[in-house]
């Protein structure tokens, strides 16, 4: 991400020695078409609820304590809101103790069709981490038609288009995260429009297009090296 290119440049690495590595996702595997009420019921959820989702490693360095605090604020004001946490990790036990019985559901690690349905059956994707260099799950969520609410630190902020495919919140600030989510919940037309725009953005970032950009970078670098060799 450009965010970490800035960090490296501040440490003395010349900017012209760095390139952004293209990333993409599979927009067939991750698609709104996989939405399933039966999948939601499997984990005890209510198909009529507004569902928030986090996918990834369940560990403190992902700032999941911030997510927990924010969801408690959200759930207090919107009792029908659910949080679905997909994944496993050392912080799982503490989250279970804090959030069980409050509309939070823990699916464990999912893959294949189950992961596709988990994304598509939610309404808003939450990614509180302030340290991720990219955050491919943010792109997977957008491919599934979800607006993403991500922190203003780290690489994931560069995956969304703020106020078009998602929203930024102030990192490490549960109130800021809660406010960003509640503003979407209270505005269904904007929520739907962001979901549509998120899908469109993801379609421009498929693996095929990422490989094309990578090939262009390789050809460009090879041409520069050849020209440099000719000059010497």
């Amino acid at each position: 991400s450009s965010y970490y290119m800035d960090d490296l440049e501040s440490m003395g690495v010349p900017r012209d020695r760095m390139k952004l590595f293209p990333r993409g996702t599979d927009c067939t595997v991750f698609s709104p078409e996989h939405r399933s009420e039966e999948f939601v019921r499997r984990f005890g959820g209510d198909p009529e609820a507004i569902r928030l989702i986090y996918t990834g490693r369940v560990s403190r360095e992902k700032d999941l304590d911030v997510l927990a605090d924010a969801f408690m604020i959200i759930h207090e004001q919107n009792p029908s809101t659910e949080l679905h946490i997909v994944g496993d990790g050392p912080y799982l036990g503490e989250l279970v103790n804090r959030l069980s019985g409050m509309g939070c559901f823990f699916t464990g690690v999912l893959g294949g069709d189950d992961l596709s349905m988990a994304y598509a059956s939610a309404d808003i994707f939450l990614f509180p981490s302030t340290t991720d260099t990219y955050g491919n799950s943010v792109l997977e969520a957008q491919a599934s038609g979800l607006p993403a609410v991500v922190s203003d630190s780290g690489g994931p902020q560069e995956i969304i288009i703020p106020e078009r495919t998602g929203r930024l919140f102030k990192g490490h600030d549960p109130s800021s995260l809660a406010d960003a989510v509640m503003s979407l919940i209270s505005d269904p037309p904007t929520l739907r429009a962001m979901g549509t725009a998120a899908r469109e953005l993801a379609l421009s970032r498929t693996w095929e297009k990422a490989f094309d950009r990578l090939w262009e970078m390789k050809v460009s670098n090879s041409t520069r090296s050849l020209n440099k060799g000719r000059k010497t």
Side-chain angles (χ1 to χ4, degrees):
S1 63
S2 295
Y3 184 90
Y4 283 97
M5 287 175 72
D6 292 342
D7 268 3
L8 289 169
E9 188 174 26
S10 71
M11 298 175 192
V13 179
R15 192 82 175 195
D16 61 7
R17 293 183 61 190
M18 293 183 278
K19 295 287 186 182
L20 287 175
F21 191 86
R23 299 288 293 273
T25 195
D26 188 325
C27 291
T28 300
V29 171
F30 301 106
S31 166
E33 295 180 0
H34 299 298
R35 192 173 182 91
S36 169
E37 291 186 0
E38 289 304 314
F39 178 83
V40 173
R41 291 192 181 96
R42 187 200 308 179
F43 295 97
D46 179 359
E48 300 301 318
I50 294 291
R51 282 179 298 283
L52 316 175
I53 187 172
Y54 164 83
T55 68
R57 179 170 167 79
V58 182
S59 55
R60 183 178 285 274
E61 69 266 17
K62 296 289 189 179
D63 294 300
L64 295 186
D65 55 327
V66 175
L67 176 60
D69 290 341
F71 181 65
M72 292 174 73
I73 297 170
I74 295 165
H75 190 68
E76 183 178 355
Q77 298 190 34
N78 299 273
S80 63
T81 304
E82 297 178 352
L83 173 62
H84 291 239
I85 294 180
V86 179
D88 197 1
Y91 196 53
L92 181 62
E94 187 166 341
L95 284 180
V96 170
N97 290 335
R98 291 188 63 189
L99 299 177
S100 286
M102 293 186 58
C104 186
F105 300 87
F106 300 89
T107 71
V109 176
L110 299 178
D113 291 344
D114 283 345
L115 181 58
S116 300
M117 286 189 287
Y119 277 119
S121 302
D123 299 292
I124 305 173
F125 182 74
L126 308 183
F127 200 72
S129 173
T130 57
T131 58
D132 274 64
T133 53
Y134 189 80
N136 215 56
S137 57
V138 179
L139 187 53
E140 293 170 352
Q142 290 185 116
S144 302
L146 306 186
V149 179
V150 305
S151 78
D152 60 359
S153 299
Q157 62 181 306
E158 298 174 25
I159 305 175
I160 73 166
I161 302 175
E163 299 308 315
R164 182 178 171 191
T165 71
R167 285 194 169 146
L168 300 179
F169 75 94
K170 186 177 180 181
H172 305 296
D173 187 337
S175 295
S176 178
L177 174 53
D179 288 345
V181 172
M182 289 189 292
S183 67
L184 285 174
I185 292 174
S186 64
D187 188 357
T190 295
L191 178 60
R192 289 192 295 271
M194 281 191 176
T196 299
R199 172 68 179 174
E200 292 172 353
L201 177 65
L203 288 170
S204 71
R205 298 179 178 179
T206 62
W207 279 120
E208 291 82 3
K209 292 178 180 179
F211 288 139
D212 286 344
R213 290 194 296 272
L214 184 62
W215 180 253
E216 289 169 3
M217 289 166 54
K218 175 180 174 60
V219 170
S220 176
N221 288 339
S222 297
T223 301
R224 282 199 296 270
S225 297
L226 179 61
N227 290 337
K228 183 178 179 181
R230 285 172 175 169
K231 290 178 182 179
T232 58

